[in-house]
Amino acid sequence: MHKRQLITGGKDITEATKVLLMIHGRGGSAQDILSLSSYLEVADFTLLAPQATNNTWYPYSFMAPPAQNEPWLSSAIDLLKGIVNEIMSNGISTENIYFLGFSQGACLTLEFVTRNATRYGGVVAFTGGLIGDKVYPENYKGDFNGTPVFIGTSNPDPHVPVERVYATSNILKDMNASVTEKVYNNMGHTINQDEISLANSLILNPSSIHT
């Protein structure tokens, strides 16, 4: 299953007050997703990017029945749980732990935080939704307590139906997340500049907004 392989960036965790966990997509790598940090306002963050075995977190579509993606899905969630516990053992509370993922990494990010809802620093999901052939509300517990969440996606997207994005937003809102969802017409399966700007202004550095 997935082994703990972390690429790090930004501040040393002994000096940082905030940590951003960056989750790569299918076929991508920890180095790929970490390179996105040059566009993000993360000067005060420790950056942690785990590497999936064979560059894939789980084998089938996120819309497949969850059992088809086992045991890899549970292994990926357990890996993230272990990393979060390590971060907290360094004296950093969940309020200062942030998550960012793209595509398969966005799905895994949303699945992890919603199964373990609490007050996080913030969550950025570039094109993703909760995992399964349908949404399984019984899998999700906790209270986001106002955690800011940004979900951006294309309509259409070749991998993520916009209906699943809407359903995901509704679940998170019901669990008291502060969700901003933005759908871009015919954007394609990518990340655009507007999404980067919103991730910075809404999640990573809200104090940078100038009136």
Side-chain angles (χ1 to χ4, degrees):
M1 297 298 101
H2 296 293
K3 294 182 171 60
R4 184 189 178 283
Q5 303 177 72
L6 273 182
I7 295 186
T8 63
K11 289 194 167 185
D12 188 277
I13 199 163
T14 59
E15 300 171 354
T17 56
K18 296 184 284 190
V19 175
L20 175 62
L21 200 48
M22 306 180 74
I23 316 298
H24 70 77
R26 185 189 299 272
S29 69
Q31 198 67 57
D32 289 341
I33 195 77
L34 198 62
S35 69
L36 191 62
S37 64
S38 61
Y39 302 95
L40 302 172
E41 294 179 15
V42 289
D44 297 332
F45 286 75
T46 293
L47 308 174
L48 301 177
Q51 175 64 51
T53 300
N54 299 323
N55 304 92
T56 300
W57 293 110
Y58 43 83
Y60 298 106
S61 164
F62 88 110
M63 298 287 288
Q68 289 187 12
N69 278 314
E70 295 296 354
W72 291 99
L73 176 58
S74 289
S75 175
I77 287 170
D78 288 346
L79 177 73
L80 295 188
K81 185 68 171 173
I83 294 169
V84 168
N85 287 340
E86 282 182 45
I87 294 168
M88 293 174 68
S89 73
N90 279 276
I92 295 171
S93 66
T94 60
E95 291 93 337
N96 290 308
I97 300 175
Y98 295 71
F99 298 84
L100 179 149
F102 169 64
S103 190
Q104 192 188 53
C107 297
L108 180 60
T109 294
L110 289 165
E111 188 71 16
F112 174 79
V113 298
T114 313
R115 290 190 186 198
N116 300 276
T118 188
R119 181 56 162 93
Y120 296 111
V123 179
V124 177
F126 294 129
T127 310
L130 293 171
I131 294 172
D133 52 320
K134 60 180 183 178
V135 173
Y136 291 87
E138 64 271 19
N139 288 343
Y140 309 123
K141 59 184 184 295
D143 188 327
F144 281 110
N145 196 25
T147 297
V149 178
F150 171 70
I151 306 174
T153 196
S154 176
N155 184 28
D157 180 87
H159 305 290
V160 180
V162 72
E163 292 79 13
R164 179 56 59 91
V165 174
Y166 296 145
T168 297
S169 293
N170 288 336
I171 291 271
L172 270 66
K173 288 173 184 174
D174 287 346
M175 296 170 69
N176 296 318
S178 177
V179 180
T180 301
E181 160 201 293
K182 190 154 184 189
V183 178
Y184 301 87
N185 289 327
N186 300 304
M187 174 176 71
H189 197 68
T190 187
I191 302 169
N192 70 23
Q193 182 56 52
D194 189 61
E195 289 180 291
I196 294 287
S197 298
L198 287 168
N200 284 326
S201 63
L202 295 172
I203 311 294
L204 298 170
N205 190 14
S207 62
S208 68
I209 301 173
H210 301 295
T211 53

